Amino acid sequence: MGWFWADGPQTRTSQTLHFPMLQDGARSPLPACPMHKHQGAADVITSAPPSTCPVKHDVSATTAPPSACPVPHGSKNGAPTPESQSAFSKLNPLNYMFRDLSQDRAPTQTQYLPTSREPSTIPRGDGDGNWEYPSPQQMYNALLRKGYTDTDVTAVESMVSVHNFLNEGAWAEIMEWEKRFSGGLHRGWQLCSHGEHNFDAMAKKYGYQEEVEDLSPGLVRFQGRPKDMTPKAAMIQVMGWIYPAMFATEPPFDRHDWYVSRETNGQKREVRYIIDYYSGPPEETGEPVFFLDVRPAVTPTAAVERVMRWGCDVWWKASGGDVREQEKIEQNSKSWRA
C-alpha cells in the first residue's frame, strides 16, 4: 500500500473508512493478492506479507533501518561489513524499497506493461513536489527481483491501481486528523466539540476556515509492518472472540506507519500515523471493498487527540446535540419576532 518512490519527484478516527475499489473489467486481480480476497477467514493473510506485494515488509527483520542503532552488531569493532553496506545501498531510507528499479521489459515478460508513473496527491515531507507511484513495469520488475517469478503479468496494472487507491484514501484520512489538531489541542477541541459532521460549521464559527484550507502537511517516510499487529487490532480480535456477534472481524491484512510533518505555531515536528488495512465483503457487483483504520500513534498528545475526536462525536450524538442546537435557533427566532 505504501509503495511510493523517492527518485524523480513530481514538480508539477480513529475513524474507519470504507473504500469500494472499481476494477477494470478487462483485467482480473491477482488471486494471491490479499487486497482482492474477500471470501472469508481463509482468505486473509496475517502471519506473512502478501505474496505479491512489492513492499519490503520484512526489512526490519534482516537489516536495521537508519533510525535504529547505527552500530552493526555483527561486525568487529563496529565497522560495517561489505554485506551490510551493500544491503543499505540498495534501499531507499524513506520507504525501504530498492532505489534503482528498471523500467526495462523483463527477459521472460510476455506482455507489454506501461512505464508511466502516476503522481500522487501526497506532498513529500522535504517540500520537493509530491510522491510518485511506481509504473506497472517497475512493480513487475520489483516482484521478479524479490523472487515472485510466478506473478501474473496481466494482473500487475490492477495491483498498481489498488495500491494507489488505498494510499490516496489513507492520506485523505490523515488530512482529516491534521485539519483538526495541527493547530494544537485547544483548536482541536473547538473543531471537534459538535461532532464529526459539524466540523465545517465549527471551522466557520471560530474563523479557522482559511487555516484549514491552507494546511500543507507532508509525508516524510513510511514503513510496511504486516507482521506487527497493533494493540487496537489485537484487542478487536479478542473482543470478536468474546462477542462474535458484535465484534467479529477478520484481522487486518496489512499495517503501515506513516511519518507526517506537522507545523504548529511555527514549530515543525513529526507525527506517526498507524494504518490498519482490512478487507470487507464485496459489493453486489463483485467489486472488492476495503476498510482503513487510520489514527495517530499513541503519545500523550495523540492520546488526547484520539479521545477528544471520538469522545466529542459520541457525546454530541448521544446527548442530542443537533436537537438542542435546533431548539436554540427556534427560540432565538421566536424572541426576534416577538
Side-chain angles (χ1 to χ4, degrees), residues 13-14 173-181 294 309:
T13 18
S14 67
E173 188 60 10
I174 287 175
M175 283 296 296
E176 291 301 313
W177 283 97
E178 290 297 305
K179 287 177 182 179
R180 287 161 173 78
F181 297 106
V294 183
R309 186 176 180 185

Side-chain angles (χ1 to χ4, degrees), residues 112-159:
Y112 167 80
L113 288 174
T115 58
S116 59
R117 297 171 60 184
E118 179 183 345
S120 75
T121 64
I122 306 174
R124 292 164 54 94
D126 57 10
D128 193 5
N130 289 358
W131 289 88
E132 282 188 313
Y133 294 118
S135 69
Q137 184 66 63
Q138 283 180 313
M139 176 173 275
Y140 185 64
N141 290 339
L143 292 169
L144 296 180
R145 190 166 178 175
K146 289 176 65 66
Y148 304 121
T149 56
D150 59 344
T151 299
D152 182 0
V153 68
T154 64
V156 174
E157 290 186 66
S158 295
M159 293 167 58

Side-chain angles (χ1 to χ4, degrees), residues 4 31 77 97 116 127 154 174 260 309 319 323:
F4 302 97
N77 298 326
M97 285 300 303
S116 59
T154 64
I174 287 175
V260 175
R309 186 176 180 185
S319 63
V323 175

Side-chain angles (χ1 to χ4, degrees), residues 70-85:
V71 179
H73 297 284
S75 59
K76 186 176 181 180
N77 298 326
T81 63
E83 291 77 7
S84 63
Q85 289 178 324

Side-chain angles (χ1 to χ4, degrees), residues 226-245:
K227 293 184 178 180
D228 301 330
M229 183 176 288
T230 63
K232 180 179 179 180
M235 185 179 299
I236 291 175
Q237 293 304 301
V238 172
M239 293 299 292
W241 178 72
I242 299 175
Y243 303 108

Side-chain angles (χ1 to χ4, degrees), residues 24-179:
D24 181 356
R27 297 182 179 87
S28 59
L30 190 63
C33 180
M35 289 181 296
H36 299 286
K37 293 199 172 191
H38 43 69
Q39 301 301 323
D43 293 329
V44 178
I45 299 176
T46 56
S47 60
S51 60
T52 59
C53 183
V55 181
K56 195 172 183 64
H57 294 291
D58 58 350
V59 68
S60 60
T62 56
T63 59
S67 60
C69 178
V71 179
H73 297 284
S75 59
K76 186 176 181 180
N77 298 326
T81 63
E83 291 77 7
S84 63
Q85 289 178 324
S86 176
F88 274 116
S89 66
K90 293 178 181 179
L91 298 178
N92 185 330
L94 297 181
N95 54 11
Y96 303 99
M97 285 300 303
F98 299 116
R99 296 176 182 267
D100 56 348
L101 280 180
S102 172
Q103 292 273 31
D104 296 335
R105 184 166 179 158
T108 58
Q109 188 173 331
T110 59
Q111 180 173 316
Y112 167 80
L113 288 174
T115 58
S116 59
R117 297 171 60 184
E118 179 183 345
S120 75
T121 64
I122 306 174
R124 292 164 54 94
D126 57 10
D128 193 5
N130 289 358
W131 289 88
E132 282 188 313
Y133 294 118
S135 69
Q137 184 66 63
Q138 283 180 313
M139 176 173 275
Y140 185 64
N141 290 339
L143 292 169
L144 296 180
R145 190 166 178 175
K146 289 176 65 66
Y148 304 121
T149 56
D150 59 344
T151 299
D152 182 0
V153 68
T154 64
V156 174
E157 290 186 66
S158 295
M159 293 167 58
V160 172
S161 296
V162 171
H163 277 80
N164 299 358
F165 178 79
L166 293 181
N167 280 324
E168 293 296 324
W171 183 250
E173 188 60 10
I174 287 175
M175 283 296 296
E176 291 301 313
W177 283 97
E178 290 297 305
K179 287 177 182 179

